[in-house]
Amino acid sequence: MCWGTPIVEVRNPDHVRLRDGLIKFGYEQEKKAKTPIESGVAPKVKHALYESAFNFFHADVKEVQELKHFCAQAVGEMVFLLHREINQNKIPLGRINVDLFESWIHITHDGGYHDSHVHPNCSWCGIYYVDIGEVTVDPPNGCNRFYAPTGLIYEDVGSLVCPLNPVQPPPEDGKLILFPSHSRHSGMPYHGKRDRILASFNAKVTRATSAA
C-alpha cells in the first residue's frame, strides 16, 4: 500500500473543565467582530458561520492556552508515532518543534457549512470539537468530510479493493481530528437550534536546533 493518508483522532480528558471557558470566549469574539469571516479567507465558500482571525491561540485566556498545549502535544506525539511506524526508525527524527502558527474558532449557526478546501503552507491541521451542538448519525448532521486525493476514473467490481469513498469521523465533544494539510475536506451543512463550536489550527513541524 502506498500514499496512505492518516486521519488521527485524539480525545481530551480535560475537555469538560475547559468547555465553558472556550465557549464563553468564542462568543465574546463573535460579538466584537465587524464581519462574520474575520480571517478574510475565502468568505464565499462559507455560509452562516463565524470565523475568527487566525490568532485564537494568542488569547491570554487560561482555557485557550490549555487547549493550545493539548493540541501541540497531540501533534508532536502523533508525528513520533507515525514516524516510528512508517520509517521503522531508519531515519532518526530527533527533537522537534510544533508551531501552531495559525488558529481560529468557528461558530456554525443553523444551515452553516464550509465548502471543500485544503490548507496551504503547513504540514498538519487540526479540528477540535468544543461543542458539537445537535448531532444525528443517520443522516449525519454537519460532519467534517475528508476526500480521497484523487477520484475514480473507472469503476467496476475490481474498484472495491481500492475504494476512494469520503470519510466522515463522527463529531464528539472534546475530540481532536488531525490530518495532513493536503487532505481536501469540507464542513457539511449543519442544522440545529444550538450552535456548533470548533477550534482549528495549522501547524508547522520542524527539527529542533541545538542551543549554542
Side-chain angles (χ1 to χ4, degrees):
M1 292 294 187
C2 300
W3 303 300
T5 302
I7 306 293
V8 180
E9 297 183 4
V10 188
R11 287 164 180 80
N12 185 356
D14 295 321
H15 176 72
V16 173
R17 182 171 55 81
L18 304 181
R19 178 182 177 276
D20 290 347
L22 294 171
I23 292 173
K24 179 176 181 289
F25 180 69
Y27 279 121
E28 289 174 350
Q29 294 298 101
E30 183 181 30
K31 187 176 181 180
K32 293 188 297 184
K34 296 180 179 179
T35 177
I37 309 299
E38 284 195 290
S39 68
V41 175
K44 293 185 179 180
V45 304
K46 304 162 187 174
H47 175 73
L49 60 82
Y50 164 68
E51 181 178 272
S52 72
F54 286 171
N55 59 359
F56 178 66
F57 283 155
H58 294 179
D60 186 18
V61 175
K62 181 177 181 292
E63 292 85 354
V64 173
Q65 290 306 307
E66 287 195 38
L67 177 61
K68 176 183 179 181
H69 176 77
F70 165 78
C71 291
Q73 186 175 26
V75 172
E77 290 181 2
M78 174 204 62
V79 168
F80 275 108
L81 288 171
L82 290 177
H83 180 268
R84 184 172 62 194
E85 180 178 331
I86 294 170
N87 295 307
Q88 301 297 314
N89 286 331
K90 293 177 182 177
I91 304 174
L93 189 57
R95 294 173 56 246
I96 62 173
N97 290 322
V98 177
D99 180 11
L100 309 185
F101 72 104
E102 291 178 331
S103 55
W104 59 99
I105 195 164
H106 269 172
I107 299 178
T108 305
H109 306 295
D110 185 36
Y113 63 84
H114 191 323
D115 270 347
S116 67
H117 60 289
V118 296
H119 292 200
N121 303 319
C122 61
S123 58
W124 284 90
C125 308
I127 298 172
Y128 182 82
Y129 292 101
V130 177
D131 186 345
I132 62 174
E134 299 174 25
V135 62
T136 59
V137 177
D138 189 17
N141 183 20
C143 288
N144 288 104
R145 176 177 289 177
F146 295 87
Y147 302 92
T150 187
L152 285 172
I153 58 174
Y154 173 80
E155 188 171 2
D156 62 17
V157 175
S159 307
L160 297 176
V161 299
C162 51
L164 294 173
N165 302 321
V167 174
Q168 297 185 155
E172 180 183 330
D173 284 352
K175 180 165 74 175
L176 171 65
I177 300 177
L178 300 172
F179 55 96
S181 62
H182 60 263
S183 299
R184 183 164 292 277
H185 59 288
S186 63
M188 302 301 289
Y190 169 75
H191 298 283
K193 294 180 180 180
R194 286 174 52 202
D195 296 331
R196 172 167 293 175
I197 304 175
L198 311 175
S200 300
F201 61 84
N202 292 330
K204 293 180 178 179
V205 184
T206 56
R207 293 184 187 275
T209 56
S210 301

